[in-house]
Amino acid sequence: MSTSQATNDIQGEISIHTENILPIIKKWLYSEHEIFVRELVSNAFDAIKKRQKIAVVDSIEAPVGRIELKIDEAAKTITISDNGLGMDSEEIQKYINQIAFSGAEDFVTKYQGKDKDDSSQIIGHFGLGFYSSFMVSDIVEITSLSYKQDAVAINWSCDGSTKFYLKETVKDTVGTDIVLHISEENGEYLHEARLTELVKRYANFLPVEILVNGKTVNDQNPLWIKQPNEVTDEEYLDFYQKLFPFSPPPLFWIHLNVDYPFNLKGILYFPKLLHELDSHKGQVKLFCQQVFVTENAKDIIPEFMTLLQGAVDCPDIPLNVSRSYLQNDPYVQKISKHIVKKIADKLNELYKKDKASYEKYWEDIHPFIKFGMMNNTEFYDKVKDCVIFKSSLGDSVSIPEYLERNKEKSENTVIYSTNKEQQATYISLCKDQGLEVIFLNAFIDTHFIQFLESKDSTIKYVSVDSSVSDHLVDKEKDSQIVDPADNKTENEKLETLFKTTLKNDALKIEVKSLKSDSLPAVVLQSEYSRRFKEMSAMMNRSAGVPAFDDFTLVINSSNPVVKNILKLNSELKTNDVELLCQYVYDLAMMSQKQLTGEQMQAFMARSNDVLKKLTEKL
């Protein structure tokens, strides 16, 4: 039927084909009723872009695009109007009455190859999202006038059943008006504030003016459409506030701008965190050709980057399929891989060009970077040399830098501390020898160093209080001279003395010459025991894990106090020997962990006894 011919009133039934109903169920049965705003505004924008595309191809004029939403509270209607290409009777029957017919696909096929401008791509499939309007409406009407010469305006109406009514009407301007007769239970959408909120939520960045009751409500200019070299820091910060009002300024950002081999634009921000587990604020908004899709693009953003905020625009991503499908979709995997690369590139750039800023940012982002390295091999390979730790030298150091700085004193060994205050004694012993210590301050760090060991077995990581390390013990000084009277060395005598005096069969006691003679004894813990307890604590399992303290009391044979204890023992001053042995043990344990209440009382009593003996000699 020609558009110039008269159209008699038609009554009929919408054609629903069994081969087309499955895509409808998969794509358009939404759980949120508010989605009708996104679908109808997107369709209106499609119609505007189609008209503009035709105007370019046919060398004719097209008006500046415009979408209007008007609320009539008395009539309980919302009207969505556009000045796009409009539809005639044939097109309404083809694109609206035959559910799941792809109008956009038909249009693209007709005009493909005539305009290669990517900005003219069509968002969706006209005729599908339209049916979301019935989620909030008792009756839906379409009044449309095609751009075609001598076209006749058409009115279509439907009450949500398969019955529709189509008739000629009068319309002065080319375009389409969709009138929603809002149902009683969806009256909230008749409020201007609510409708404005939804337009700003779903269509704020569409490059066409959108009005609600005569007022322009959308921004129209997402920053991600610009080239990175065209954007100032102030613009990035302002745009962040548009996306996340009242948030503190972000640390830094990454501008994504890819046209090949896939389309991806967006800006990812690293926010300021309150603490290392403050990842709940991560939120990357997903757009499809500037139309909002979801609050969180978690299916395309790498899982370990849960702290990221920002927006990404993926025009080709399949939006209405299951999460498992998305996660295995090659296109989505390429996007995720590219984002990983961009994050790694940014970190390396900051590390090399602005290390001072990088060290400040690191305080916020390091748990997530480490988690990412443990979960993504490519990411590990790209950033392994810019992972930094606080150092006992007062700066921050990467593992390659540490190994280079300490190669003469601890070749291929990294000495670490998990508690700077509690392990201060051991750190001091290392400093006395010119040994550098790195500080592991995060919950994830114990697991992370085990991961590093698995990646490079040539590097050994040992705690400052580890019993497996040689960084505290001076093997060359150990006494090997045997006393002919009892056929024992001094070290063997001291070990026997402390075992007899302390009366603790579970306690391992060794006598060694430490590299510093300032301390009479230290308590060392096996590397396995320490890591096991710290991992249990990190996983909140310490309550159900049996005690596993693998301590060794190392008596420092080079210390003057220890030498005097051995002398007092030879002089049979038993009380003094017992007091000093217990006191040396107390001091050593205090450097390892907090004493219990009972242990502290005993220590205080022994301290008073020591003071008495000192003052008695005055």
Side-chain angles (χ1 to χ4, degrees):
M1 181 178 63
S2 171
T3 56
S4 61
Q5 294 175 329
T7 302
N8 296 324
D9 290 4
I10 296 175
Q11 179 176 343
E13 292 199 3
I14 297 169
S15 175
I16 303 178
H17 303 297
T18 55
E19 67 268 24
N20 290 335
I21 196 67
L22 187 57
I24 294 296
I25 294 172
K26 284 185 176 180
K27 292 175 179 287
W28 306 110
L29 294 183
Y30 300 108
S31 58
E32 296 92 0
H33 286 188
E34 67 183 42
I35 215 73
F36 79 93
V37 174
R38 183 186 81 185
E39 298 305 322
L40 297 183
V41 171
S42 297
N43 284 347
F45 180 68
D46 276 349
I48 290 170
K49 295 298 288 182
K50 288 176 182 180
R51 187 175 181 184
Q52 292 172 345
K53 188 179 184 77
I54 291 170
V56 171
V57 174
D58 296 345
S59 299
I60 58 177
E61 289 189 13
V64 176
R66 183 183 176 98
I67 301 172
E68 295 190 60
L69 292 84
K70 294 180 181 177
I71 300 171
D72 186 333
E73 292 190 44
K76 296 184 178 180
T77 62
I78 298 173
T79 302
I80 296 123
S81 304
D82 67 69
N83 58 352
L85 79 173
M87 292 180 288
D88 59 23
S89 178
E90 279 188 29
E91 290 166 329
I92 284 184
Q93 292 190 71
K94 185 177 182 181
Y95 299 148
I96 301 298
N97 293 344
Q98 295 186 48
I99 294 180
F101 188 98
S102 175
E105 184 178 341
D106 185 51
F107 178 85
V108 170
T109 300
K110 181 177 179 181
Y111 284 92
Q112 66 182 351
K114 295 184 179 182
D115 184 359
K116 300 296 185 182
D117 182 5
D118 286 341
S119 66
S120 296
Q121 292 177 12
I122 307 304
I123 288 176
H125 302 283
F126 192 91
L128 297 177
F130 163 74
Y131 279 87
S132 64
S133 57
F134 286 100
M135 295 191 299
V136 297
S137 308
D138 291 328
I139 298 172
V140 178
E141 294 182 70
I142 300 174
T143 300
S144 190
L145 177 62
S146 174
Y147 75 100
K148 300 172 185 176
Q149 190 174 7
D150 300 326
V152 176
I154 296 298
N155 177 266
W156 178 95
S157 65
C158 179
D159 62 0
S161 67
T162 58
K163 295 185 182 298
F164 70 89
Y165 298 89
L166 183 66
K167 64 182 179 181
E168 292 182 3
T169 189
V170 176
K171 191 177 189 311
D172 297 330
T173 57
V174 173
T176 300
D177 301 333
I178 297 178
V179 182
L180 310 180
H181 295 262
I182 302 299
S183 59
E184 192 69 34
E185 62 269 25
N186 289 289
E188 64 177 287
Y189 301 113
L190 292 169
H191 298 294
E192 182 179 318
R194 175 64 168 144
L195 195 61
T196 298
E197 172 201 342
L198 293 177
V199 171
K200 291 177 73 69
R201 174 182 173 86
Y202 289 105
N204 193 41
F205 299 121
L206 273 181
V208 61
E209 185 180 20
I210 304 176
L211 300 93
V212 175
N213 286 349
K215 293 178 284 189
T216 302
V217 297
N218 65 320
D219 187 283
Q220 303 179 44
N221 294 302
L223 201 62
W224 66 73
I225 64 175
K226 291 187 176 183
Q227 294 295 321
N229 59 5
E230 298 174 349
V231 187
T232 66
D233 289 354
E234 290 72 23
E235 287 177 306
Y236 281 119
L237 294 171
D238 288 344
F239 186 66
Y240 183 72
Q241 287 300 316
K242 288 181 182 178
L243 293 173
F244 307 102
F246 310 112
S247 296
L251 301 173
F252 58 95
W253 48 84
I254 299 168
H255 195 140
L256 305 170
N257 194 327
V258 184
D259 294 319
Y260 181 83
F262 50 83
N263 292 315
L264 174 67
K265 297 186 186 300
I267 302 172
L268 300 177
Y269 294 89
F270 281 75
K272 174 70 177 175
L273 301 183
L274 298 178
H275 50 77
E276 70 177 88
L277 300 180
D278 184 25
S279 62
H280 67 277
K281 66 170 59 182
Q283 183 184 83
V284 178
K285 300 182 179 185
L286 177 62
F287 291 79
C288 180
Q289 288 204 184
Q290 298 169 228
V291 176
F292 175 79
V293 176
T294 179
E295 287 284 359
N296 205 330
K298 56 189 175 184
D299 295 311
I300 63 173
I301 299 298
E303 183 182 2
F304 65 88
M305 282 288 102
T306 52
L307 81 163
L308 289 177
Q309 291 185 299
V312 291
D313 193 328
C314 305
D316 301 325
I317 194 171
L319 300 176
N320 296 291
V321 293
S322 68
R323 285 196 63 194
S324 60
Y325 178 91
L326 274 181
Q327 290 165 351
N328 293 296
D329 182 76
Y331 176 81
V332 174
Q333 290 174 351
K334 286 180 182 178
I335 292 176
S336 182
K337 188 174 181 178
H338 179 76
I339 290 173
V340 167
K341 178 182 181 301
K342 293 294 288 185
I343 293 170
D345 289 347
K346 184 67 176 182
L347 292 172
N348 277 285
E349 177 189 355
L350 285 169
Y351 177 73
K352 293 173 182 176
K353 295 182 179 179
D354 189 2
K355 192 174 180 183
S357 296
Y358 181 80
E359 290 178 357
K360 289 193 297 183
Y361 301 153
W362 189 253
E363 292 298 310
D364 288 274
I365 66 175
H366 74 92
F368 302 95
I369 303 303
K370 293 168 184 174
F371 181 72
M373 293 172 68
M374 290 188 287
N375 285 273
N376 189 301
T377 301
E378 290 186 14
F379 187 65
Y380 163 80
D381 289 336
K382 291 179 184 297
V383 303
K384 61 182 179 181
D385 290 341
C386 60
V387 174
I388 58 176
F389 301 88
K390 291 288 188 182
S391 164
S392 58
L393 299 184
D395 60 356
S396 294
V397 62
S398 68
I399 297 301
E401 289 173 333
Y402 177 96
L403 294 173
E404 179 62 27
R405 295 199 315 204
N406 297 274
K407 62 183 178 181
E408 294 183 1
K409 294 189 176 181
S410 58
E411 186 176 0
N412 284 345
T413 299
V414 177
I415 303 171
Y416 69 87
S417 165
T418 55
N419 191 316
K420 186 177 181 179
E421 301 302 322
Q422 193 176 80
Q423 296 174 326
T425 298
Y426 304 91
I427 295 168
S428 179
L429 288 173
C430 288
K431 283 183 176 180
D432 290 345
Q433 303 167 60
L435 288 175
E436 183 176 6
V437 179
I438 63 169
F439 300 113
L440 309 184
N441 300 318
F443 288 125
I444 196 174
D445 280 343
T446 299
H447 191 45
F448 184 64
I449 61 167
Q450 293 185 58
F451 164 77
L452 292 180
E453 287 173 329
S454 72
K455 299 299 286 187
D456 187 350
S457 59
T458 65
I459 302 173
K460 184 167 65 173
Y461 294 80
V462 296
S463 173
V464 288
D465 62 353
S466 173
S467 59
V468 302
S469 173
D470 294 331
H471 62 269
L472 298 179
V473 177
D474 189 344
K475 293 182 178 179
E476 295 181 0
K477 280 188 178 181
D478 280 342
S479 173
Q480 301 298 325
I481 301 174
V482 177
D483 186 343
D486 53 14
N487 202 33
K488 288 184 178 181
T489 66
E490 286 190 358
N491 284 7
E492 290 172 333
K493 291 179 180 180
L494 282 168
E495 183 176 328
T496 301
L497 176 60
F498 272 86
K499 284 182 177 180
T500 303
T501 304
L502 296 178
K503 298 181 178 66
N504 185 346
D505 294 335
L507 180 66
K508 297 178 184 177
I509 299 177
E510 294 180 0
V511 180
K512 297 178 180 292
S513 179
L514 299 184
K515 291 183 178 180
S516 172
D517 62 7
S518 60
L519 293 175
V522 292
V523 173
L524 303 182
Q525 186 174 187
S526 78
E527 194 71 20
Y528 175 79
S529 171
R530 168 171 292 285
R531 293 189 188 185
F532 180 81
K533 287 191 293 183
E534 288 171 352
M535 283 291 293
S536 298
M538 185 182 75
M539 295 184 291
N540 294 320
R541 290 172 50 194
S542 55
V545 175
F548 184 67
D549 289 335
D550 188 9
F551 293 123
T552 300
L553 177 66
V554 178
I555 309 300
N556 185 6
S557 59
S558 298
N559 180 260
V561 173
V562 172
K563 290 180 177 179
N564 284 330
I565 291 176
L566 193 60
K567 182 180 178 181
L568 290 171
N569 187 57
S570 65
E571 296 173 357
L572 301 178
K573 296 184 178 180
T574 307
N575 291 338
D576 290 345
V577 168
E578 183 174 340
L579 174 62
L580 288 174
C581 285
Q582 289 283 356
Y583 202 68
V584 165
Y585 172 69
D586 288 341
L587 292 174
M589 288 302 297
M590 289 176 69
S591 67
Q592 178 62 234
K593 65 178 184 178
Q594 187 174 352
L595 300 181
T596 66
E598 185 177 343
Q599 289 171 333
M600 180 57 72
Q601 286 182 346
F603 171 72
M604 295 300 295
R606 279 191 280 272
S607 297
N608 286 328
D609 288 343
V610 169
L611 291 174
K612 284 180 183 178
K613 289 187 176 294
L614 286 173
T615 54
E616 285 172 357
K617 296 180 180 180
L618 293 178

